[in-house]
Coordinates of all heavy atoms in Angstrom, one line a residue:
M283 N 0.9 -1.2 0.0 CA 0.0 0.0 0.0 C 0.9 1.2 0.0 O 1.8 1.4 0.8 CB -0.9 0.0 1.2 CG -1.7 1.2 1.4 SD -2.7 1.4 2.9 CE -3.6 -0.1 2.9
D284 N 0.6 2.1 -0.9 CA 1.4 3.4 -0.9 C 0.6 4.5 -0.3 O -0.5 4.3 0.2 CB 1.8 3.7 -2.4 CG 0.6 4.0 -3.3 OD1 -0.5 3.6 -2.8 OD2 0.7 4.5 -4.4
I285 N 1.3 5.7 -0.1 CA 0.7 6.8 0.6 C -0.6 7.3 0.0 O -1.5 7.7 0.7 CB 1.7 7.9 0.9 CG1 1.3 8.9 1.9 CG2 2.1 8.6 -0.4 CD1 1.3 8.4 3.3
T286 N -0.6 7.3 -1.4 CA -1.8 7.8 -2.0 C -3.0 6.9 -1.7 O -4.1 7.4 -1.5 CB -1.6 7.8 -3.6 OG1 -0.4 8.5 -3.8 CG2 -2.7 8.4 -4.3
Q287 N -2.8 5.6 -1.8 CA -3.9 4.7 -1.5 C -4.4 4.8 0.0 O -5.6 4.8 0.3 CB -3.5 3.3 -1.7 CG -4.6 2.3 -1.6 CD -4.2 0.9 -2.0 OE1 -3.0 0.6 -2.1 NE2 -5.1 0.0 -2.2
L288 N -3.5 5.1 0.9 CA -3.8 5.3 2.3 C -4.6 6.5 2.5 O -5.6 6.5 3.2 CB -2.5 5.3 3.2 CG -2.8 5.5 4.7 CD1 -3.5 4.3 5.3 CD2 -1.5 5.8 5.4
I289 N -4.2 7.6 1.8 CA -4.9 8.9 1.9 C -6.3 8.7 1.4 O -7.3 9.2 2.0 CB -4.2 10.0 1.2 CG1 -2.9 10.3 2.0 CG2 -5.0 11.2 1.1 CD1 -1.9 11.3 1.3
I290 N -6.5 8.1 0.3 CA -7.8 7.9 -0.3 C -8.7 7.0 0.6 O -9.9 7.3 0.8 CB -7.7 7.2 -1.7 CG1 -7.2 8.3 -2.7 CG2 -9.1 6.8 -2.2 CD1 -6.8 7.8 -4.0
Q291 N -8.1 6.0 1.2 CA -8.9 5.2 2.2 C -9.3 6.0 3.4 O -10.4 5.8 3.9 CB -8.1 3.9 2.6 CG -8.0 2.9 1.5 CD -7.3 1.6 1.9 OE1 -6.7 1.6 2.9 NE2 -7.4 0.6 1.0
V292 N -8.5 6.8 3.9 CA -8.8 7.7 5.0 C -9.9 8.6 4.6 O -10.9 8.8 5.4 CB -7.6 8.4 5.6 CG1 -8.0 9.5 6.6 CG2 -6.6 7.5 6.2
I293 N -9.9 9.2 3.5 CA -10.9 10.1 3.0 C -12.3 9.4 2.8 O -13.3 9.9 3.3 CB -10.5 10.8 1.7 CG1 -9.4 11.8 2.0 CG2 -11.7 11.5 1.0 CD1 -8.7 12.4 0.7
V294 N -12.2 8.2 2.3 CA -13.4 7.4 2.1 C -14.0 7.0 3.5 O -15.2 7.0 3.7 CB -13.2 6.1 1.3 CG1 -14.3 5.1 1.3 CG2 -12.9 6.5 -0.2
A295 N -13.1 6.7 4.4 CA -13.5 6.4 5.8 C -14.2 7.6 6.5 O -15.2 7.4 7.2 CB -12.3 5.9 6.6
I296 N -13.7 8.8 6.3 CA -14.3 10.0 6.9 C -15.6 10.2 6.2 O -16.6 10.5 7.0 CB -13.3 11.2 6.6 CG1 -12.1 11.1 7.5 CG2 -14.1 12.5 7.0 CD1 -11.0 12.1 7.2
V297 N -15.8 10.1 4.9 CA -17.1 10.3 4.3 C -18.1 9.2 4.8 O -19.2 9.6 5.1 CB -16.9 10.2 2.7 CG1 -18.3 10.2 2.0 CG2 -16.1 11.4 2.3
C298 N -17.7 8.0 4.9 CA -18.6 6.9 5.4 C -19.0 7.2 6.8 O -20.1 7.0 7.2 CB -17.9 5.6 5.2 SG -17.8 5.0 3.5
A299 N -18.1 7.7 7.6 CA -18.4 8.0 9.0 C -19.4 9.2 9.1 O -20.3 9.2 9.9 CB -17.2 8.3 9.8
G300 N -19.2 10.2 8.2 CA -20.1 11.3 8.1 C -21.5 10.8 7.7 O -22.5 11.3 8.2
I301 N -21.6 9.9 6.7 CA -22.9 9.4 6.3 C -23.5 8.6 7.4 O -24.7 8.7 7.7 CB -22.8 8.6 5.0 CG1 -22.4 9.5 3.9 CG2 -24.0 7.8 4.7 CD1 -22.0 8.7 2.6
A302 N -22.7 7.8 8.1 CA -23.3 7.1 9.3 C -23.8 8.0 10.4 O -24.7 7.7 11.1 CB -22.2 6.1 9.9
N303 N -23.1 9.1 10.5 CA -23.5 10.1 11.5 C -24.9 10.7 11.1 O -25.6 11.2 12.0 CB -22.5 11.2 11.7 CG -22.7 12.0 12.9 OD1 -23.3 11.6 13.9 ND2 -22.1 13.2 12.9
I304 N -25.2 10.8 9.9 CA -26.5 11.3 9.4 C -27.6 10.2 9.8 O -28.6 10.6 10.2 CB -26.5 11.5 7.9 CG1 -25.6 12.7 7.6 CG2 -27.9 11.7 7.4 CD1 -25.3 12.9 6.1
F305 N -27.2 8.9 9.6 CA -28.2 7.9 10.0 C -28.4 7.7 11.5 O -29.5 7.5 11.9 CB -27.7 6.5 9.4 CG -27.8 6.4 7.9 CD1 -26.8 5.8 7.2 CD2 -28.8 7.0 7.2 CE1 -26.8 5.7 5.9 CE2 -28.9 6.9 5.8 CZ -27.9 6.2 5.2
I306 N -27.3 7.9 12.2 CA -27.4 7.9 13.7 C -26.9 9.2 14.2 O -25.7 9.4 14.4 CB -26.5 6.7 14.2 CG1 -27.0 5.4 13.7 CG2 -26.5 6.7 15.8 CD1 -26.2 4.2 14.1
P307 N -27.8 10.1 14.4 CA -27.4 11.5 14.8 C -27.0 11.7 16.2 O -27.7 12.0 17.1 CB -28.7 12.3 14.5 CG -29.8 11.4 14.6 CD -29.2 10.0 14.3
R308 N -25.7 11.4 16.4 CA -25.1 11.5 17.8 C -23.8 12.3 17.6 O -23.2 12.3 16.5 CB -24.8 10.2 18.4 CG -26.1 9.4 18.7 CD -25.8 8.1 19.4 NE -27.0 7.5 19.8 CZ -27.1 6.5 20.6 NH1 -26.0 6.0 21.2 NH2 -28.2 5.9 20.9
R309 N -23.4 12.9 18.7 CA -22.1 13.6 18.7 C -20.9 12.6 18.7 O -20.8 11.8 19.6 CB -22.0 14.6 19.9 CG -23.0 15.7 19.7 CD -22.8 16.7 20.8 NE -21.5 17.4 20.5 CZ -20.9 18.1 21.3 NH1 -21.3 18.2 22.6 NH2 -19.8 18.8 21.0
I310 N -20.0 12.8 17.8 CA -18.9 11.9 17.7 C -17.8 12.5 18.7 O -17.4 13.7 18.5 CB -18.3 11.8 16.3 CG1 -19.3 11.1 15.4 CG2 -17.0 11.1 16.3 CD1 -18.9 11.1 14.0
P311 N -17.4 11.7 19.7 CA -16.4 12.3 20.6 C -15.0 12.4 19.9 O -14.6 11.6 19.1 CB -16.3 11.2 21.7 CG -17.0 10.0 21.2 CD -17.8 10.4 20.0
G312 N -14.4 13.6 20.1 CA -13.1 13.8 19.5 C -13.1 14.6 18.2 O -12.1 14.8 17.6
K313 N -14.3 15.0 17.8 CA -14.5 15.8 16.6 C -13.8 15.1 15.3 O -14.2 14.0 15.0 CB -14.0 17.2 16.8 CG -14.6 17.9 18.0 CD -15.0 19.3 17.7 CE -15.4 20.0 19.0 NZ -16.5 19.6 19.6
L314 N -12.9 15.8 14.7 CA -12.3 15.2 13.5 C -11.5 14.0 13.7 O -11.6 13.0 13.0 CB -11.4 16.3 12.8 CG -10.8 15.8 11.4 CD1 -11.9 15.5 10.4 CD2 -9.9 16.9 10.9
T315 N -10.7 13.9 14.8 CA -10.0 12.7 15.1 C -10.9 11.6 15.4 O -10.7 10.4 14.9 CB -9.1 13.0 16.4 OG1 -8.3 14.1 16.1 CG2 -8.2 11.8 16.7
G316 N -12.0 11.8 16.1 CA -13.0 10.8 16.4 C -13.6 10.3 15.1 O -13.9 9.1 14.9
L317 N -13.9 11.3 14.2 CA -14.5 10.9 12.9 C -13.6 10.0 12.1 O -14.0 9.0 11.5 CB -14.8 12.2 12.1 CG -15.7 12.0 10.9 CD1 -17.1 11.6 11.2 CD2 -15.7 13.3 10.1
V318 N -12.3 10.3 12.1 CA -11.3 9.4 11.4 C -11.3 8.1 12.0 O -11.3 7.0 11.3 CB -9.9 10.1 11.4 CG1 -8.9 9.1 10.8 CG2 -10.0 11.4 10.5
L319 N -11.2 8.0 13.4 CA -11.1 6.7 14.0 C -12.4 5.9 13.9 O -12.3 4.7 13.6 CB -10.8 6.9 15.5 CG -9.4 7.5 15.8 CD1 -9.2 7.7 17.3 CD2 -8.3 6.6 15.3
V320 N -13.5 6.5 14.0 CA -14.8 5.8 13.7 C -14.9 5.3 12.3 O -15.3 4.2 12.0 CB -16.0 6.7 14.1 CG1 -17.3 6.2 13.5 CG2 -16.1 6.9 15.6
G321 N -14.4 6.2 11.4 CA -14.4 5.8 10.0 C -13.5 4.6 9.7 O -13.9 3.6 9.0
L322 N -12.3 4.6 10.2 CA -11.4 3.5 10.0 C -11.8 2.2 10.6 O -11.8 1.1 10.1 CB -10.0 3.8 10.4 CG -9.2 4.9 9.6 CD1 -7.9 5.3 10.3 CD2 -9.0 4.5 8.2
A323 N -12.3 2.3 11.9 CA -12.9 1.2 12.6 C -14.1 0.6 11.9 O -14.3 -0.6 11.8 CB -13.1 1.5 14.1
G324 N -15.0 1.5 11.4 CA -16.2 1.2 10.7 C -15.9 0.5 9.4 O -16.6 -0.5 9.1
V325 N -14.9 0.9 8.7 CA -14.5 0.3 7.5 C -14.1 -1.2 7.8 O -14.5 -2.1 7.1 CB -13.4 1.1 6.7 CG1 -12.8 0.2 5.6 CG2 -14.0 2.3 6.1
W326 N -13.3 -1.3 8.8 CA -12.8 -2.6 9.1 C -13.9 -3.6 9.6 O -14.0 -4.7 9.1 CB -11.7 -2.5 10.2 CG -11.2 -3.9 10.6 CD1 -10.3 -4.6 9.9 CD2 -11.6 -4.6 11.8 NE1 -10.0 -5.8 10.6 CE2 -10.8 -5.8 11.7 CE3 -12.4 -4.4 12.8 CZ2 -11.0 -6.8 12.7 CZ3 -12.5 -5.4 13.8 CH2 -11.8 -6.6 13.7
V327 N -14.8 -3.1 10.5 CA -15.9 -3.9 11.0 C -16.9 -4.2 9.8 O -17.3 -5.3 9.7 CB -16.7 -3.1 12.1 CG1 -18.0 -3.7 12.4 CG2 -15.8 -3.0 13.3
G328 N -17.2 -3.2 9.0 CA -18.1 -3.5 7.9 C -17.5 -4.5 6.9 O -18.3 -5.4 6.5
E329 N -16.3 -4.3 6.5 CA -15.7 -5.3 5.5 C -15.6 -6.7 6.1 O -15.8 -7.7 5.5 CB -14.4 -4.8 5.0 CG -14.5 -3.6 4.1 CD -13.2 -3.1 3.5 OE1 -12.1 -3.6 4.0 OE2 -13.2 -2.2 2.7
W330 N -15.2 -6.8 7.4 CA -15.1 -8.1 8.1 C -16.4 -8.7 8.2 O -16.6 -9.9 7.9 CB -14.4 -7.9 9.4 CG -14.4 -9.2 10.2 CD1 -13.5 -10.2 10.1 CD2 -15.3 -9.6 11.2 NE1 -13.8 -11.2 10.9 CE2 -14.9 -10.9 11.7 CE3 -16.4 -9.0 11.8 CZ2 -15.6 -11.5 12.7 CZ3 -17.1 -9.7 12.8 CH2 -16.7 -10.9 13.2
G331 N -17.5 -8.0 8.6 CA -18.8 -8.5 8.8 C -19.4 -9.0 7.5 O -20.0 -10.1 7.4
F332 N -19.3 -8.2 6.5 CA -19.8 -8.6 5.2 C -19.0 -9.7 4.5 O -19.6 -10.5 3.8 CB -20.0 -7.4 4.3 CG -21.2 -6.6 4.5 CD1 -21.3 -5.6 5.4 CD2 -22.4 -7.0 3.9 CE1 -22.4 -4.9 5.7 CE2 -23.6 -6.3 4.1 CZ -23.6 -5.3 5.0
A333 N -17.8 -9.8 4.8 CA -17.0 -11.0 4.3 C -17.5 -12.3 5.0 O -17.6 -13.3 4.3 CB -15.5 -10.8 4.6
Q334 N -17.8 -12.2 6.3 CA -18.3 -13.3 7.0 C -19.7 -13.7 6.4 O -20.0 -14.9 6.2 CB -18.5 -13.0 8.5 CG -17.2 -12.8 9.2 CD -16.3 -14.0 9.2 OE1 -16.7 -15.1 9.3 NE2 -15.0 -13.8 9.0
L335 N -20.6 -12.7 6.2 CA -21.9 -13.0 5.6 C -21.7 -13.6 4.2 O -22.5 -14.5 3.8 CB -22.7 -11.8 5.6 CG -23.2 -11.3 6.9 CD1 -23.9 -9.9 6.7 CD2 -24.2 -12.3 7.5
R336 N -20.8 -13.0 3.4 CA -20.6 -13.5 2.1 C -20.1 -15.0 2.1 O -20.6 -15.8 1.3 CB -19.6 -12.6 1.4 CG -19.8 -12.4 -0.1 CD -18.9 -11.4 -0.7 NE -19.2 -10.1 -0.3 CZ -18.3 -9.2 0.2 NH1 -17.0 -9.6 0.4 NH2 -18.6 -8.0 0.6
D337 N -19.2 -15.3 3.0 CA -18.7 -16.7 3.0 C -19.8 -17.6 3.6 O -19.9 -18.8 3.1 CB -17.5 -16.7 3.9 CG -16.3 -16.0 3.3 OD1 -16.3 -15.7 2.1 OD2 -15.3 -15.7 4.0
T338 N -20.5 -17.2 4.6 CA -21.4 -18.1 5.2 C -22.7 -18.3 4.4 O -23.2 -19.4 4.3 CB -21.8 -17.6 6.6 OG1 -20.6 -17.4 7.4 CG2 -22.7 -18.5 7.4
Y339 N -23.3 -17.2 3.9 CA -24.6 -17.3 3.3 C -24.5 -17.0 1.8 O -25.6 -16.9 1.1 CB -25.6 -16.3 3.9 CG -25.8 -16.6 5.4 CD1 -25.3 -15.8 6.3 CD2 -26.5 -17.7 5.8 CE1 -25.5 -16.0 7.7 CE2 -26.7 -18.0 7.1 CZ -26.2 -17.1 8.0 OH -26.4 -17.4 9.4
S340 N -23.4 -16.8 1.2 CA -23.2 -16.6 -0.2 C -23.9 -15.4 -0.7 O -24.6 -15.4 -1.8 CB -23.5 -17.8 -1.1 OG -22.8 -18.9 -0.7
L341 N -23.8 -14.3 0.0 CA -24.5 -13.0 -0.4 C -23.6 -12.4 -1.5 O -22.5 -12.0 -1.2 CB -24.6 -12.1 0.8 CG -25.6 -12.5 1.9 CD1 -25.6 -11.5 3.0 CD2 -27.0 -12.7 1.3
N342 N -24.2 -12.2 -2.7 CA -23.4 -11.6 -3.8 C -24.3 -10.5 -4.4 O -24.5 -10.5 -5.6 CB -23.0 -12.6 -4.8 CG -21.9 -13.5 -4.3 OD1 -21.0 -13.0 -3.6 ND2 -21.9 -14.8 -4.6
F343 N -24.7 -9.6 -3.7 CA -25.5 -8.4 -4.2 C -24.5 -7.4 -4.8 O -23.5 -7.1 -4.2 CB -26.3 -7.8 -3.1 CG -27.4 -8.6 -2.6 CD1 -27.4 -9.0 -1.2 CD2 -28.4 -9.1 -3.3 CE1 -28.3 -9.8 -0.7 CE2 -29.4 -9.9 -2.8 CZ -29.4 -10.3 -1.5
P344 N -24.8 -6.9 -6.0 CA -23.9 -6.0 -6.7 C -23.6 -4.7 -5.9 O -22.5 -4.2 -5.9 CB -24.6 -5.7 -8.0 CG -25.7 -6.6 -8.2 CD -26.0 -7.2 -6.8
F345 N -24.6 -4.2 -5.2 CA -24.4 -3.0 -4.4 C -23.5 -3.1 -3.2 O -23.0 -2.2 -2.7 CB -25.7 -2.3 -4.0 CG -26.5 -3.1 -3.0 CD1 -26.3 -2.9 -1.6 CD2 -27.4 -4.1 -3.4 CE1 -27.0 -3.7 -0.7 CE2 -28.1 -4.8 -2.5 CZ -27.9 -4.6 -1.1
L346 N -23.3 -4.4 -2.8 CA -22.4 -4.6 -1.7 C -20.9 -4.6 -2.1 O -20.0 -4.6 -1.3 CB -22.7 -5.9 -1.0 CG -24.0 -6.0 -0.2 CD1 -24.3 -7.4 0.3 CD2 -24.1 -5.0 0.9
Q347 N -20.7 -4.6 -3.4 CA -19.4 -4.7 -3.9 C -18.9 -3.4 -4.5 O -17.8 -3.3 -5.2 CB -19.3 -5.8 -4.9 CG -19.5 -7.2 -4.3 CD -19.6 -8.3 -5.2 OE1 -19.5 -8.1 -6.4 NE2 -19.9 -9.5 -4.7
W348 N -19.6 -2.3 -4.4 CA -19.2 -1.0 -4.9 C -18.0 -0.6 -4.0 O -18.0 -0.6 -2.8 CB -20.2 0.1 -4.7 CG -21.4 -0.1 -5.6 CD1 -21.5 -0.9 -6.7 CD2 -22.7 0.4 -5.3 NE1 -22.8 -0.8 -7.2 CE2 -23.6 0.0 -6.4 CE3 -23.3 1.2 -4.4 CZ2 -24.9 0.3 -6.5 CZ3 -24.6 1.6 -4.4 CH2 -25.4 1.1 -5.5
D349 N -16.9 -0.2 -4.7 CA -15.7 0.1 -3.9 C -15.0 1.3 -4.5 O -15.1 1.6 -5.7 CB -14.8 -1.1 -3.7 CG -14.1 -1.5 -5.0 OD1 -14.6 -1.1 -6.1 OD2 -13.1 -2.3 -5.0
I350 N -14.2 1.9 -3.7 CA -13.2 3.0 -4.1 C -11.9 2.6 -3.5 O -11.8 2.5 -2.2 CB -13.7 4.4 -3.6 CG1 -15.0 4.8 -4.2 CG2 -12.6 5.4 -4.0 CD1 -15.6 6.0 -3.7
Q351 N -10.9 2.4 -4.3 CA -9.6 2.0 -3.9 C -9.6 0.8 -2.9 O -8.8 0.8 -1.9 CB -8.9 3.2 -3.2 CG -8.4 4.3 -4.1 CD -7.3 3.8 -5.1 OE1 -7.6 3.6 -6.2 NE2 -6.1 3.5 -4.6
G352 N -10.5 -0.1 -3.1 CA -10.5 -1.3 -2.3 C -11.4 -1.2 -1.1 O -11.5 -2.2 -0.3
V353 N -12.0 0.0 -0.8 CA -12.9 0.1 0.3 C -14.3 0.0 -0.2 O -14.8 0.8 -1.0 CB -12.7 1.5 1.0 CG1 -13.6 1.7 2.1 CG2 -11.3 1.8 1.4
E354 N -15.0 -1.1 0.3 CA -16.4 -1.3 -0.1 C -17.3 -0.3 0.6 O -17.3 -0.2 1.9 CB -16.7 -2.8 0.3 CG -15.9 -3.8 -0.5 CD -16.2 -5.2 -0.1 OE1 -16.7 -5.4 1.1 OE2 -15.8 -6.1 -0.8
I355 N -18.0 0.4 -0.1 CA -18.8 1.6 0.4 C -19.9 1.2 1.3 O -20.0 1.7 2.5 CB -19.3 2.4 -0.8 CG1 -18.1 2.9 -1.7 CG2 -20.1 3.6 -0.3 CD1 -17.1 3.7 -1.0
V356 N -20.9 0.4 0.9 CA -22.0 0.0 1.7 C -21.7 -0.7 3.0 O -22.1 -0.3 4.1 CB -23.1 -0.8 0.9 CG1 -24.2 -1.2 1.7 CG2 -23.6 0.0 -0.3
P357 N -20.8 -1.7 3.0 CA -20.4 -2.3 4.2 C -19.6 -1.3 5.1 O -19.8 -1.4 6.4 CB -19.4 -3.4 3.8 CG -19.9 -3.8 2.4 CD -20.3 -2.5 1.8
A358 N -18.9 -0.4 4.5 CA -18.2 0.6 5.4 C -19.2 1.6 6.1 O -19.0 1.9 7.2 CB -17.2 1.4 4.5
I359 N -20.2 2.0 5.4 CA -21.2 2.9 6.0 C -21.9 2.1 7.1 O -22.1 2.7 8.2 CB -22.2 3.4 4.9 CG1 -21.5 4.3 4.0 CG2 -23.4 4.1 5.6 CD1 -22.3 4.7 2.8
I360 N -22.3 0.9 6.9 CA -23.0 0.1 7.9 C -22.1 -0.1 9.1 O -22.5 0.0 10.2 CB -23.6 -1.2 7.3 CG1 -24.7 -0.8 6.3 CG2 -24.1 -2.1 8.4 CD1 -25.2 -2.0 5.5
G361 N -20.8 -0.5 8.8 CA -19.9 -0.7 9.9 C -19.6 0.6 10.7 O -19.5 0.5 11.9
C362 N -19.5 1.7 10.0 CA -19.4 3.0 10.7 C -20.6 3.3 11.6 O -20.4 3.8 12.7 CB -19.1 4.1 9.7 SG -17.5 4.1 8.9
A363 N -21.8 3.0 11.1 CA -23.0 3.2 11.9 C -22.9 2.4 13.2 O -23.3 2.8 14.3 CB -24.2 3.0 11.1
I364 N -22.5 1.1 13.0 CA -22.4 0.2 14.2 C -21.4 0.7 15.2 O -21.7 0.8 16.4 CB -22.1 -1.2 13.7 CG1 -23.3 -1.8 13.0 CG2 -21.7 -2.1 14.9 CD1 -23.0 -3.1 12.2
V365 N -20.2 1.1 14.7 CA -19.1 1.6 15.6 C -19.6 2.9 16.3 O -19.3 3.1 17.5 CB -17.8 1.7 14.8 CG1 -16.8 2.5 15.6 CG2 -17.3 0.4 14.4
L366 N -20.2 3.8 15.5 CA -20.6 5.0 16.1 C -21.7 4.8 17.2 O -21.6 5.4 18.2 CB -21.2 5.9 15.0 CG -21.8 7.2 15.4 CD1 -20.7 8.1 16.0 CD2 -22.5 7.9 14.3
Y367 N -22.6 3.9 16.9 CA -23.6 3.6 18.0 C -23.0 3.0 19.2 O -23.3 3.5 20.3 CB -24.7 2.7 17.4 CG -25.7 2.4 18.4 CD1 -26.8 3.2 18.7 CD2 -25.7 1.2 19.1 CE1 -27.7 3.0 19.6 CE2 -26.7 0.9 20.1 CZ -27.7 1.8 20.3 OH -28.6 1.5 21.3
V368 N -22.1 2.1 19.0 CA -21.5 1.4 20.2 C -20.6 2.4 21.0 O -20.7 2.5 22.2 CB -20.7 0.2 19.7 CG1 -19.8 -0.3 20.9 CG2 -21.6 -0.9 19.2
I369 N -19.8 3.2 20.3 CA -18.9 4.2 21.0 C -19.8 5.2 21.7 O -19.5 5.5 22.9 CB -18.0 4.8 20.0 CG1 -16.9 3.8 19.6 CG2 -17.3 6.0 20.6 CD1 -15.9 4.2 18.6
T370 N -20.8 5.8 21.1 CA -21.6 6.8 21.8 C -22.4 6.2 22.9 O -22.6 6.9 23.9 CB -22.5 7.6 20.8 OG1 -23.3 6.6 20.1 CG2 -21.6 8.4 19.8
A371 N -22.8 5.0 22.8 CA -23.5 4.3 23.9 C -22.6 4.1 25.1 O -23.0 4.3 26.2 CB -24.2 3.0 23.4
I372 N -21.4 3.7 24.8 CA -20.4 3.5 25.9 C -20.1 4.8 26.6 O -20.0 4.9 27.8 CB -19.2 2.8 25.4 CG1 -19.5 1.3 25.0 CG2 -18.0 2.8 26.4 CD1 -18.4 0.6 24.3
V373 N -19.8 5.9 25.8 CA -19.5 7.2 26.3 C -20.7 7.7 27.2 O -20.5 8.2 28.3 CB -19.1 8.2 25.2 CG1 -19.1 9.6 25.7 CG2 -17.8 7.8 24.6
K374 N -21.9 7.5 26.7 CA -23.1 8.0 27.4 C -23.2 7.2 28.7 O -23.5 7.8 29.8 CB -24.3 7.8 26.6 CG -25.6 8.4 27.1 CD -26.7 8.3 26.1 CE -28.0 8.9 26.7 NZ -29.1 8.7 25.7
W375 N -23.0 5.9 28.7 CA -23.1 5.1 29.9 C -22.0 5.4 30.9 O -22.3 5.5 32.1 CB -23.0 3.6 29.5 CG -22.9 2.7 30.6 CD1 -23.9 2.3 31.5 CD2 -21.7 2.0 31.1 NE1 -23.4 1.4 32.4 CE2 -22.0 1.2 32.2 CE3 -20.4 2.0 30.6 CZ2 -21.1 0.4 32.9 CZ3 -19.5 1.2 31.3 CH2 -19.8 0.5 32.4
W376 N -20.8 5.7 30.4 CA -19.7 6.0 31.3 C -19.9 7.4 31.9 O -19.7 7.6 33.1 CB -18.4 6.1 30.5 CG -17.2 6.4 31.3 CD1 -16.6 5.6 32.2 CD2 -16.4 7.5 31.2 NE1 -15.5 6.2 32.8 CE2 -15.4 7.4 32.2 CE3 -16.5 8.7 30.5 CZ2 -14.4 8.3 32.4 CZ3 -15.5 9.7 30.7 CH2 -14.5 9.5 31.6
R377 N -20.5 8.4 31.2 CA -20.7 9.7 31.8 C -21.9 9.6 32.8 O -21.9 10.4 33.8 CB -21.1 10.7 30.7 CG -19.9 11.1 29.9 CD -20.2 12.1 28.9 NE -19.1 12.5 28.1 CZ -19.1 13.1 26.9 NH1 -20.2 13.4 26.4 NH2 -18.0 13.3 26.3
R378 N -22.8 8.8 32.6 CA -23.9 8.6 33.5 C -23.5 8.0 34.8 O -24.0 8.3 35.9 CB -25.0 7.8 32.9 CG -26.3 7.8 33.7 CD -27.4 7.1 33.0 NE -27.7 7.6 31.7 CZ -28.5 7.0 30.8 NH1 -29.0 5.9 31.1 NH2 -28.7 7.6 29.6
G379 N -22.5 7.1 34.8 CA -22.0 6.4 35.9 C -21.1 7.3 36.9 O -20.8 6.9 38.0
Q380 N -20.7 8.5 36.4 CA -19.8 9.3 37.2 C -20.6 10.1 38.2 O -21.5 10.6 38.2 CB -19.0 10.3 36.3 CG -17.9 9.6 35.6 CD -17.1 10.6 34.8 OE1 -17.4 11.7 34.6 NE2 -16.0 10.1 34.3

């Protein structure tokens, strides 16, 4: 992986995290840094989860395979939404416990 591909993957991760934030309207802790981390973690979770579904249930829908520089868009958005929900739920629970 070269630096150009890494930069494009980070940008795609940020956009996917932004779209996930529209679906789950919560404040991302850490602002831009949090958005990048949620995006990268969401891309990883989404691609891993959909790879498992693809292998287990043979899901081969064309829209699940749209990608930019190797980052699958739909799984990345869903993965970002999951990561965003879990992180904000944990932060909310932790703040309530103080």
Side-chain angles (χ1 to χ4, degrees):
M283 173 185 306
D284 61 347
I285 191 73
T286 307
Q287 188 177 13
L288 179 66
I289 290 171
I290 290 173
Q291 286 184 350
V292 169
I293 291 171
V294 169
I296 291 171
V297 170
C298 289
I301 293 170
N303 196 20
I304 292 171
F305 291 140
I306 300 178
R308 295 185 175 194
R309 292 188 70 198
I310 296 175
K313 307 221 189 294
L314 183 61
T315 306
L317 189 68
V318 170
L319 293 176
V320 165
L322 291 174
V325 166
W326 181 76
V327 166
E329 288 182 353
W330 175 79
F332 276 89
Q334 296 297 321
L335 288 174
R336 216 176 285 127
D337 293 342
T338 305
Y339 300 109
S340 300
L341 294 178
N342 287 324
F343 296 116
F345 66 90
L346 293 177
Q347 297 172 359
W348 296 337
D349 68 344
I350 298 175
Q351 286 296 108
V353 178
E354 297 173 342
I355 302 301
V356 174
I359 292 171
I360 294 171
C362 288
I364 291 169
V365 170
L366 177 63
Y367 180 79
V368 169
I369 287 177
T370 55
I372 290 171
V373 167
K374 188 176 181 181
W375 172 75
W376 182 68
R377 287 183 182 164
R378 193 176 300 170
Q380 287 185 348

